[in-house]
Amino acid sequence: CRISEPGRHQHRDRLRRVPLADQRALALDAGGARQIRRAFIPAPGWILAAADYSQIELRILAHLSQEPVLITAYKQNQDIHTVTAQLLFESDTVTSEQRRMGKIINFGVVYGMGAAKFGRETGVKTSEAKIFIEKFYERYPGIFDYLERVKREAIALGYVETVCGRRRYFRFESGKLRGLKGSDPNNIDLDNLGNLGQLDAGYLRAAANAPIQGSSADIIKLAMIEIDKLLEQYQAKMLL
């Protein structure tokens, strides 16, 4: 087991790595993934139980960005991927394929996905994918403002924080970025930084993602501690 930079546990051998029924990801026949999962059988008298948070990173993004559309959707128990698809396609009714595109862009934004990758994931042209992403930020301005603010803080402070106060530090390569350390984040104009190197551009994407993914890792680890205490009352053990 190792801890990734955002704070997640990473295991080479774990039940979470067992494939789900997703033909696009697996290139298996329709029931192939389910058949693989059936191979994991508990000992006689035991059961396998799974517990997870639903869309935890998007919920954290809603909290951190205070984006009204996201907050309202979750408070009203709406399907957030359908909501995004409705906004992008400007329609009250969406197809399953349109919802899938909404899901891809929702999670993709958390990881700093650009137009090229969105195009590959959805099968649309890069030019069209760029329009979708621009429209996404128009519909969710609070998300865009939040991600930009975190990038400025990473440059000015040299680190970003999770909701639990855990920090991830960044050491930028560009002298221009290093020279902005210690400055007021509100005075940093990201549009005037010029062409950043691939390394620094990656650092900024990671900085925007770190409070979201890192907070998710913090919350889940705290939950695992509480679940472990709960399981002491039963004949049970935790598997990752």
Side-chain angles (χ1 to χ4, degrees):
C1 172
R2 63 181 291 270
I3 303 296
S4 66
E5 288 186 340
R8 284 181 164 181
H9 286 100
Q10 290 186 333
H11 296 259
R12 291 184 60 189
D13 302 307
R14 57 177 179 167
L15 289 179
R16 281 180 60 87
R17 294 180 68 91
V18 180
L20 293 167
D22 185 344
Q23 283 184 273
R24 289 186 177 87
L26 297 168
L28 292 173
D29 60 88
R34 293 189 183 91
Q35 290 175 7
I36 291 175
R37 290 214 154 204
R38 290 195 189 102
F40 292 82
I41 303 172
W46 290 74
I47 62 171
L48 286 174
D52 200 0
Y53 285 99
S54 173
Q55 301 174 356
I56 184 172
E57 291 178 344
L58 289 176
R59 293 176 187 271
I60 290 171
L61 177 59
H63 169 72
L64 294 175
S65 68
Q66 288 297 293
E67 169 53 53
V69 178
L70 278 184
I71 292 174
T72 300
Y74 279 122
K75 282 185 175 180
Q76 297 180 356
N77 290 319
Q78 296 176 309
D79 177 67
I80 192 61
H81 304 316
T82 297
V83 171
T84 295
Q86 289 170 336
L87 292 173
L88 292 179
F89 292 97
E90 300 178 354
S91 173
D92 291 335
T93 58
V94 295
T95 66
S96 59
E97 180 62 21
Q98 289 172 331
R99 182 190 178 277
R100 185 181 75 87
M101 293 177 71
K103 181 177 181 179
I104 290 173
I105 197 169
N106 276 339
F107 285 112
V109 165
V110 175
Y111 294 97
M113 178 180 64
K117 185 172 183 180
F118 179 68
R120 290 195 299 271
E121 293 283 335
T122 58
V124 302
K125 295 180 180 178
T126 302
S127 57
E128 187 177 355
K130 185 178 180 181
I131 293 173
F132 273 113
I133 292 177
E134 290 174 351
K135 191 178 291 187
F136 178 91
Y137 285 125
E138 289 175 3
R139 300 296 189 272
Y140 294 123
I143 293 178
F144 178 76
D145 292 343
Y146 166 73
L147 295 175
E148 296 294 283
R149 173 165 58 84
V150 174
K151 290 177 183 179
R152 293 195 300 269
E153 290 175 353
I155 295 170
L157 302 175
Y159 65 85
V160 295
E161 290 185 329
T162 68
V163 293
C164 292
R166 185 167 53 82
R167 295 178 178 180
R168 180 176 177 183
Y169 289 88
F170 294 91
R171 186 174 181 178
F172 295 101
E173 185 178 61
S174 165
K176 189 171 185 178
L177 291 184
R178 290 200 303 268
L180 290 171
K181 188 174 183 179
S183 62
D184 185 341
N186 296 318
N187 293 333
I188 296 176
D189 187 349
L190 297 175
D191 293 331
N192 288 333
L193 293 179
N195 293 324
L196 299 175
Q198 186 175 359
L199 184 63
D200 283 344
Y203 281 155
L204 286 180
R205 287 194 299 272
N209 163 261
I212 305 168
Q213 193 175 8
S215 295
S216 168
D218 291 350
I219 292 169
I220 289 174
K221 281 185 284 189
L222 289 171
M224 289 171 62
I225 293 172
E226 295 303 314
I227 290 174
D228 188 58
K229 293 177 183 178
L230 179 65
L231 292 180
E232 290 177 358
Q233 306 173 39
Y234 305 93
Q235 186 180 359
K237 59 182 178 179
M238 187 181 296
L239 301 174
L240 295 179

